[in-house]
Amino acid sequence: MTKSALQIARAAYQPKLPKALTGAVVAKEGEPTQSVADQEEIKKLFPNTYGMPLIQFVEGEAKEFAPMNVGVILSGGQAPGGHNVISGLFDGIKKLNPANKLYGFILGPGGLVDHNYMELTADIIDEYRNTGGFDIIGSGRTKLEKEEQFEKGYEILKELGIKALVIIGGDDSNTNACVLAEYYAAKNYGVQVIGCPKTIDGDLKNDMIETSFGFDTACKTYSEVIGNIERDCNSARKYWHFIKLMGRSASHIALECALQTQPNICIISEEVEAKNMSLDDIVTYIAQVVADRAAAGNNFGTVLIPEGLIEFIPAMKRLIAELNDFLAANGEEFNSIKRSKQRDYIISKLSPENAAIYASLPEGVARQLSLDRDPHGNVQVSLIETEKLLSEMVATKLAAWKEEGKFVGKFAAQHHFFGYEGRCAAPSNFDADYCYSLGYTASMLIANGKTGYMSSVRNTTAPAAEWIAGGVPITMMMNMERRHGEMKPVIQKALVKLDGAPFKAFAAVRDTWAKETAYVYPGPIQYFGPTEVCDQPTKTLQYEQAK
Ligand code: FBP
């Protein structure tokens, strides 16, 4: 396989570990823990894994460990650094005992259920150190939640002599890891299950997990390109760029990219919901910034839009819910109607409030809302081109304002969607070190007989040597939430906190950024060079951890 010069140079990079992990360690146990909410229910559901203490690894005496085999799974969307979690895990278990073996299950949790696996040897691991992607074993979105899947999984774990399974995933995958840990513990199967916090979305974090891996690299990758667009924008001075950013429900990515690049506008979904804003409120806000900049002779700008925005606009949420129900019950009749009449048909059937909103939407978006359903009958909101929806509606509003003399200027838009561009980028130094440390820590949790824990590395705004490695009982992060009509124990998803330091820092300066052209051009991720260029954590972490 031909390798790029950077790939060859990066292969030699030795990720940094917290100082405590560089020699033999001992697990220091803290006080027993509780779940973040619904303690009684969670305790009942996880009798074997509830209430366990926090673990911190500190320097200790070297011990001998009997040989063991370990399995690893990559679950869900790709996030930069996954290969380093696996190489950290590999190096950790080999250090415990060189006879230990690591098996990777292919294409996500489905590989465990279908007994699709490969042994990860030193040669294979070396090919993937410090590289982006999940291609070493592939990833998948199969949910591990049914007893028969747990049993099928156990069959292959037993056959391969696997004593512990590491699941690298987001909040849902780690919830499932915890359910699996509890199940295997209850059955006395002797298989430990350890989770690792992955997702570019940044929404798997709490008091104990400072950040999910991949967020750092993905945001830096998007910020590079946003900065390039801003510079283009400020050179030609004739376009408004509408940029949608991945991140699922949470707006962490949009907020972090805004803090890095200082665009004219960044919409934060959590704020839209908290202020009960309508689509028209958002459009009016953007149009006003456009008009004010035009009045100052600036017919250009940059707008960041989080992927999940539409679901956070309360009125849109209600419209989507009614459409889901209506089309589930009347899909056949709807499909038998001529395409040109479908829009009017829907308008005639919806409640007056939702009909009015539906009628106000541009043709294309209205169509997407009524056509694209996932297998559960829901609108696939991520497919809705929110960036185009907003720019079209802004254009319409500005045209009306022009007639009234409220807008004197030009408005021309360009659209972008950044997501896949960042998910497999070569990990930044931060992610390379963080992920390697997470994987290595997972091996120490296994060696210490732990199950139902998530690998945790804290104090991440300090140099890596000072990071604190340990484990957090996954039950500690759980609460009860309604999923598919049933109350289920799940890890609480972290949305942007409006009283949190990163949002407050943004809110304090956004009006200035709207008026002035205050763009910052972060440039590409740097792997070699001065530490202030190469080793900075995200602004989000810096604001959150600022004492
Ligand atoms: P997870 O880490 O939660 O799996 O999601 C990451 C993500 O990139 C989201 O930002 C995005 O909405 C989703 O995956 C898209 O996934 P897919 O390509 O499978 O549709």
Side-chain angles (χ1 to χ4, degrees):
M1 208 200 303
T2 314
K3 286 190 180 149
S4 69
L6 182 78
Q7 257 177 296
I8 294 164
R10 275 307 267 180
Y13 178 74
Q14 182 53 49
K16 299 180 204 79
L17 275 177
K19 188 165 171 290
L21 294 187
T22 51
V25 301
V26 66
K28 201 173 87 184
E29 299 202 345
E31 294 296 309
T33 56
Q34 291 200 357
S35 58
V36 282
D38 310 308
Q39 289 84 8
E40 283 316 307
E41 285 108 307
I42 310 272
K43 190 174 177 181
K44 228 180 270 161
L45 291 165
F46 295 90
N48 295 282
T49 52
Y50 187 85
M52 300 182 299
L54 288 169
I55 303 285
Q56 184 182 331
F57 291 117
V58 292
E59 289 164 54
E61 296 281 300
K63 270 200 280 181
E64 296 224 336
F65 291 90
M68 64 173 174
N69 295 341
V70 171
V72 64
I73 296 176
L74 289 163
S75 182
Q78 284 70 255
H83 290 158
N84 271 28
V85 179
I86 296 181
S87 51
L89 175 65
F90 179 85
D91 291 352
I93 63 168
K94 288 287 182 189
K95 195 161 175 191
L96 293 167
N97 188 328
N100 289 345
K101 284 186 183 169
L102 181 62
Y103 289 94
F105 290 95
I106 312 288
L107 286 174
L112 177 72
V113 180
D114 302 336
H115 300 186
N116 197 1
Y117 64 90
M118 66 192 275
E119 188 187 339
L120 295 169
T121 57
D123 287 352
I124 300 174
I125 295 285
D126 286 348
E127 282 291 304
Y128 288 92
R129 289 181 191 270
N130 309 311
T131 58
F134 278 6
D135 42 321
I136 186 168
I137 46 175
S139 186
R141 292 199 182 275
T142 302
K143 280 190 188 303
L144 270 188
E145 55 187 357
K146 296 195 195 91
E147 219 174 292
E148 67 208 61
Q149 294 175 310
F150 301 167
E151 287 294 336
K152 281 297 274 177
Y154 179 57
E155 271 173 29
I156 189 68
L157 295 172
K158 202 163 54 173
E159 193 182 312
L160 296 172
I162 290 177
K163 179 180 177 293
L165 183 65
V166 176
I167 299 184
I168 302 171
D171 52 342
D172 285 338
S173 307
N174 275 285
T175 295
N176 295 338
C178 192
V179 175
L180 188 64
E182 175 65 32
Y183 182 86
Y184 287 166
K187 293 265 172 180
N188 251 320
Y189 283 171
V191 178
Q192 300 157 244
V193 184
I194 301 294
C196 272
K198 170 238 73 167
T199 178
I200 60 161
D201 301 347
D203 57 4
L204 171 47
K205 64 173 170 182
N206 48 54
D207 290 346
M208 291 297 139
I209 302 294
E210 294 180 356
T211 185
S212 55
F213 79 75
F215 177 70
D216 185 275
T217 310
C219 289
K220 284 174 181 162
T221 307
Y222 304 142
S223 294
E224 175 197 351
V225 191
I226 295 166
N228 295 351
I229 287 176
E230 287 178 335
R231 209 149 209 171
D232 194 287
C233 179
N234 195 17
S235 304
R237 305 198 179 175
K238 61 176 182 182
Y239 290 127
W240 272 86
H241 290 268
F242 285 71
I243 305 170
K244 183 170 81 169
L245 292 158
M246 256 189 192
R248 225 180 260 286
S249 307
S251 306
H252 297 294
I253 292 181
L255 178 58
E256 172 63 25
C257 291
L259 291 168
Q260 287 193 33
T261 62
Q262 306 193 175
N264 303 101
I265 296 173
C266 175
I267 308 291
I268 301 296
S269 306
E270 292 82 344
E271 184 182 28
V272 166
E273 183 171 52
K275 292 188 172 164
N276 198 11
M277 288 170 83
S278 64
L279 189 53
D280 187 59
D281 292 336
I282 300 169
V283 169
T284 306
Y285 167 67
I286 300 174
Q288 194 58 57
V289 174
V290 173
D292 291 347
R293 283 179 66 80
N298 297 319
N299 289 299
F300 64 95
T302 310
V303 185
L304 304 189
I305 302 152
E307 178 181 60
L309 175 65
I310 206 117
E311 286 177 294
F312 281 76
I313 301 171
M316 289 297 290
K317 207 174 180 170
R318 290 194 291 273
L319 165 65
I320 291 169
E322 190 180 347
L323 269 173
N324 281 346
D325 289 350
F326 176 74
L327 290 172
N330 306 284
E332 241 172 73
E333 185 176 307
F334 172 74
N335 287 325
S336 68
I337 288 171
K338 251 172 83 189
R339 208 180 137 116
S340 58
K341 302 271 180 236
Q342 283 177 337
R343 187 182 164 99
D344 289 342
Y345 166 80
I346 287 191
I347 292 170
S348 73
K349 299 288 182 183
L350 292 176
S351 63
E353 188 208 359
N354 287 335
I357 296 167
Y358 189 82
S360 74
L361 295 174
E363 184 78 41
V365 174
R367 174 149 293 280
Q368 274 167 338
L369 282 181
S370 55
L371 289 184
D372 297 322
R373 289 291 181 280
D374 74 4
H376 308 284
N378 295 314
V379 176
Q380 289 177 278
V381 282
S382 62
L383 296 181
I384 294 170
E385 294 171 313
T386 334
E387 66 283 22
K388 290 194 183 143
L389 166 72
L390 290 178
S391 90
E392 276 184 41
M393 294 182 83
V394 166
T396 308
K397 188 159 291 268
L398 289 171
W401 285 1
K402 198 162 224 170
E403 303 253 297
E404 297 164 30
K406 279 164 57 184
F407 170 57
V408 273
K410 290 191 192 116
F411 176 73
Q414 296 287 348
H415 306 105
H416 317 266
F417 170 37
F418 298 145
Y420 298 102
E421 294 80 352
R423 298 202 313 183
C424 283
S428 60
N429 286 346
F430 177 89
D431 271 328
D433 298 346
Y434 183 56
C435 291
Y436 187 79
S437 300
L438 285 171
Y440 200 94
T441 303
S443 74
M444 297 300 131
L445 289 166
I446 296 167
N448 281 276
K450 304 298 172 197
T451 190
Y453 275 80
M454 191 182 290
S455 174
S456 118
V457 172
R458 295 188 292 128
N459 199 29
T460 49
T461 50
E466 293 162 37
W467 289 356
I468 300 165
V472 185
I474 304 180
T475 50
M476 188 183 176
M477 306 170 198
M478 289 198 167
N479 68 164
M480 300 297 291
E481 284 177 26
R482 183 167 290 281
R483 297 281 167 95
H484 304 292
E486 259 180 80
M487 291 306 280
K488 295 241 161 156
V490 292
I491 295 177
Q492 228 174 27
K493 207 185 251 312
L495 298 179
V496 169
K497 288 189 181 141
L498 301 184
D499 59 354
F503 178 79
K504 280 187 173 164
F506 160 72
V509 286
R510 64 175 151 190
D511 290 345
T512 311
W513 296 352
K515 258 190 242 115
E516 292 166 15
T517 303
Y519 304 151
V520 173
Y521 315 113
I525 297 174
Q526 297 295 319
Y527 300 98
F528 314 95
T531 192
E532 67 274 18
V533 180
C534 305
D535 302 315
Q536 290 301 311
T538 56
K539 301 263 181 203
T540 303
L541 260 181
Q542 290 179 44
Y543 281 117
E544 283 173 349
Q545 305 289 314
K547 301 288 176 310

